[in-house]
Amino acid sequence: MKVARLHGVTDVRVSEEPAPQPGPDESLVRVSAVGICGSDLHWFTAGTIGDAALDRPLVLGHEIGGVVEGGPLDGRRVAVDPNRACGVCETCLEGHRNMCPHVRFAGHGHNDGGMRELMAWPTALLNPVPDALSDADVAMLEPLGVALHALDLGKPRVGWTVVVVGAGPIGLCAVQLARVAGAGRVIAVEPLEHRRAAAAALGADVVLDPGDPDLLARLADATAGRGADLALEIAGTDDAVRIACEAVRPAATVVLAGIPDEDRTTFPASTARRKGLTLRLSRRMGEVYPRATALVADGAVDVRAVVSHTFGIDRAGEAFAVAAARTGHKVVVTPGASAAPGTPGAPGAVTA
C-alpha cells in the first residue's frame, strides 16, 4: 500500500509499505479521504505540537473516512474515530474519552494516522455513515465534531449572540452550528478575506477583520453595546484569545479550542477578572459522531462547502504545503477513494 510519512519539518515522503493485518477486535479500512487539520500542520511546519515532538517518521491524519474490508462491517462506509482511549481509567469511565491520559490518537506521537491506503483500527471506533455523504463529507465529520464539542462546552441558549474567532475549517463549522443551535446573531472574526467571505456565506451575520483598528467599536455595534453571550476561540493565538475576552459580556463563557504554536496561552487578566468570565478549554471531541453525521445527512450543516482542495496521495506533500499556505479552506487527501476524481469537496474545489 502507499503511505505518506512525515520524516521531518515539511518532509513528507510517499512510499510503499506492507498492508497492515487487523488484530483482535480490529477491522481493515481502505481510506477514502483524510483531511489535513491545523494540528497536522503543527507537525508539518514545526515537527511539534504542544509538548510532543516528532521522533520517528509519522503517518499524519486523523480526519478519516473509508470503507471496511472484511469483518462484521464488511463493505460499510465509515467515519474513523481517531481516539483510541483505554476505556477503563477513571476519566474514561466518567465519560471523558477525549481526555483519557492513556489515549493513543491517530497521527500523533507513535500512533500512525490515516494518510495511507489501508489502516487497521478497532471495529468499535468505526462509525457507519449514509451513502449520501461524499468521501470528503465523511472525513469532515471529525472537525465538525471538534466544533460541536466546543459549542457544547459553551452551553448556548436560543437567541444568544455568539462570536467565533477564527474562520478556518473548524471555525466555519462552528459558525453553522451556532446558527443551528438557535443563535440570534453570529459574528465571525477572521484576518483572511476569503475566509471572512466563506463565514458570511455559511451563516455569519457580521464578519470582522481583527486587524481593523476600530474592531472593538464594531463589536460593540454588532452586539448593541452589551457584548456577546458566548465566544468560541478557534485560532490558537493570544490575539484571538484577547479578542474573544473583549467581545463578550460580563459573566459570559469563552471556549478556547485553538492550539497555539507555542505550548502557552495568555489572556488579558484584568478583562477576564472584571467580567468574571468562565474560560473553558476544549480538547478534541466527545461522543458526537452520531450527531455530527445526522447534521450533515439532514443538510443542517454544509461541510462540503468547507473543502477547497483535494489531492491524491502521491501529492500528499503538496497538499500539506497548500494547507499551510492557508489560501483555501480544508485540504483533503484521497488515498484510496472509490469516488470519481473531483467528487469530494464543494463545487469548484481544486482537485489534483
Side-chain angles (χ1 to χ4, degrees):
M1 67 171 181
K2 289 183 178 179
V3 176
R5 285 191 183 273
L6 181 70
H7 287 253
V9 174
T10 71
D11 182 10
V12 175
R13 307 178 197 175
V14 179
S15 62
E16 292 279 346
E17 296 184 9
Q21 297 299 315
D25 301 319
E26 290 185 337
S27 293
L28 190 66
V29 178
R30 182 166 296 277
V31 179
S32 301
V34 54
I36 297 177
C37 178
S39 58
D40 294 320
L41 293 179
H42 281 278
W43 287 112
F44 177 72
T45 60
T48 62
I49 181 170
D51 59 358
L54 185 70
D55 61 4
R56 59 177 286 274
L58 178 66
V59 179
L60 294 174
H62 57 266
E63 303 173 354
I64 308 163
V67 180
V68 180
E69 295 189 353
L73 295 177
D74 183 43
R76 295 296 302 272
R77 300 176 68 238
V78 295
V80 178
D81 185 339
N83 195 76
R84 297 181 69 165
C86 75
V88 296
C89 69
E90 181 180 5
T91 303
C92 284
L93 294 176
E94 288 179 343
H96 305 297
R97 278 198 324 117
N98 57 311
M99 292 183 284
C100 172
H102 312 294
V103 67
R104 291 176 292 161
F105 195 79
H108 183 90
H110 290 179
N111 306 295
D112 286 338
M115 203 72 67
R116 45 184 165 159
E117 290 183 314
L118 293 163
M119 64 186 299
W121 207 250
T123 305
L125 298 181
L126 304 179
N127 300 272
V129 297
D131 288 337
L133 272 60
S134 74
D135 291 338
D137 290 343
V138 180
M140 279 295 300
L141 293 177
E142 198 277 343
L144 175 61
V146 171
L148 184 55
H149 178 63
L151 185 67
D152 284 347
L153 290 175
K155 299 180 180 179
R157 295 182 181 179
V158 172
W160 268 11
T161 295
V162 178
V163 173
V164 178
V165 186
I170 292 176
L172 293 175
C173 289
V175 165
Q176 297 183 71
L177 289 170
R179 180 64 69 205
V180 171
R185 171 160 281 203
V186 180
I187 302 167
V189 182
E190 165 59 45
L192 299 179
E193 183 178 359
H194 69 281
R195 291 184 171 180
R196 291 199 299 273
L202 292 173
D205 300 288
V206 179
V207 291
L208 300 173
D209 183 347
D212 186 340
D214 296 323
L215 175 64
L216 295 184
R218 297 190 190 284
L219 282 168
D221 288 343
T223 62
R226 66 183 293 273
D229 301 285
L230 170 65
L232 305 178
E233 180 278 313
I234 315 182
T237 67
D238 286 348
D239 195 46
V241 176
R242 175 186 61 79
I243 291 169
C245 291
E246 291 173 339
V248 294
R249 62 172 174 79
T253 294
V254 174
V255 179
L256 306 183
I259 300 176
D261 288 335
E262 304 294 334
D263 190 23
R264 185 175 298 275
T265 297
T266 65
F267 62 91
S270 58
T271 299
R273 185 179 67 254
R274 289 168 186 163
K275 289 185 177 181
L277 301 182
T278 297
L279 301 182
R280 300 291 304 272
L281 276 68
S282 182
R283 176 171 172 79
R284 296 171 180 162
M285 64 180 188
E287 308 303 318
V288 299
Y289 266 108
R291 294 163 60 202
T293 302
L295 286 166
V296 175
D298 293 344
V301 174
D302 182 1
V303 294
R304 199 167 303 185
V306 179
V307 178
S308 60
H309 297 74
T310 63
F311 289 84
I313 192 169
D314 288 329
R315 299 176 69 179
E318 184 179 350
F320 275 95
V322 168
R326 301 202 301 164
T327 54
H329 305 297
K330 176 62 66 179
V331 176
V332 170
V333 174
T334 55
S338 58
T343 297
V350 177
T351 303

